[in-house]
Amino acid sequence: MAKLYFYYSSMNAGKSTTLLQADFNYRERGMQTMLWTAALDDRAGHGGIESRIGLHAEAHKFSAATQLWERIVAAHRVEPLACVLVDEAQFLSEAQVWQLARVADQAGIPVLCYGLRTDFQGELFPGAKALLGIADSLIELKAVCHCGRKSSMNLRVDGDGVAVKQGAQTEIGGNDRYVALCRKHFTEALGWWV
């Protein structure tokens, strides 16, 4: 029975690397996969998923208007899919998460989603909220804070490395804009307990 999986973590935990390794494992065995990533994240160039350690694969892009169920089922009719892998899953809409659940439940294709759980203010992203609610399997990938504890938070910083407390939920960036921290150092950086 196919399942909907959600692999979540803070930044720098290797989500994209883990996704690309899973894709490689399927393809090495001669199985067809379908990769997706958020259209608004263009850091890897047009249509790509890229890990911080340099792995790369081409992927379909989803936006808020993308009908994932229809696109995946159409591709599955042409060449049977063994797995669907979604990077930046926090940017999925609730409706898209339900479409991916339908892919697992009705089309019988496993769906592996990888993404952040929370934003720079500790709030759930819409896609993460829906996945935490309905995924069959929740897997936390671990990243490490500078203190050695597990990092679970994403601190947004400005050009001088100072914590940003307000702004839009979504602002694309890498190590230049975000620091993965444990909750203790996250709240200290924001001055919440002062």
Side-chain angles (χ1 to χ4, degrees):
M1 172 191 260
K3 292 183 179 181
L4 174 62
Y5 298 84
F6 183 34
Y7 294 82
Y8 66 91
S9 71
S10 64
M11 296 189 70
N12 298 324
K15 294 177 296 299
S16 297
T17 301
T18 304
L19 179 154
L20 294 170
Q21 180 65 54
D23 178 59
F24 175 82
N25 292 345
Y26 276 99
R27 290 182 178 277
E28 184 178 45
R29 289 160 183 80
M31 299 178 192
Q32 183 66 28
T33 62
M34 187 175 206
L35 278 62
W36 289 89
T37 192
L40 60 92
D41 184 0
D42 60 1
R43 290 174 294 164
H46 179 69
I49 296 172
E50 189 166 324
S51 71
R52 285 184 168 79
I53 64 170
L55 301 176
H56 177 82
E58 294 301 310
H60 300 272
K61 295 278 191 167
F62 69 83
S63 66
T66 305
Q67 296 297 314
L68 293 171
W69 165 256
E70 285 83 5
R71 298 272 306 273
I72 293 167
V73 170
H76 186 58
R77 286 188 190 116
V78 174
E79 186 170 3
L81 296 171
C83 186
V84 172
L85 300 105
V86 182
D87 200 25
E88 304 293 352
Q90 71 270 13
F91 298 130
L92 293 165
S93 68
E94 180 181 355
Q96 288 170 323
V97 171
W98 280 102
Q99 289 171 35
L100 293 172
R102 185 178 180 192
V103 168
D105 296 344
Q106 292 186 347
I109 305 167
V111 179
L112 284 63
C113 296
Y114 298 79
L116 299 173
R117 183 180 61 168
T118 59
D119 66 14
F120 75 107
Q121 294 177 317
E123 299 292 329
L124 291 171
F125 280 100
K129 179 180 176 185
L131 283 161
L132 287 167
I134 70 168
D136 298 298
S137 188
L138 301 172
I139 303 100
E140 183 178 23
L141 300 176
K142 307 293 191 295
V144 180
C145 180
H146 62 80
C147 70
R149 288 189 194 106
K150 177 185 81 169
S151 66
S152 58
M153 310 301 287
N154 304 298
L155 180 72
R156 184 182 291 169
V157 295
D158 63 18
D160 295 322
V162 176
V164 174
K165 297 179 181 182
Q166 296 182 1
Q169 184 177 48
T170 301
E171 183 176 311
I172 302 302
N175 293 341
D176 61 323
R177 296 291 294 145
Y178 294 94
V179 179
L181 298 173
C182 66
R183 185 180 58 240
K184 177 182 185 289
H185 287 109
F186 174 81
T187 56
E188 286 176 1
L190 293 174
W192 286 0
W193 304 144
V194 177

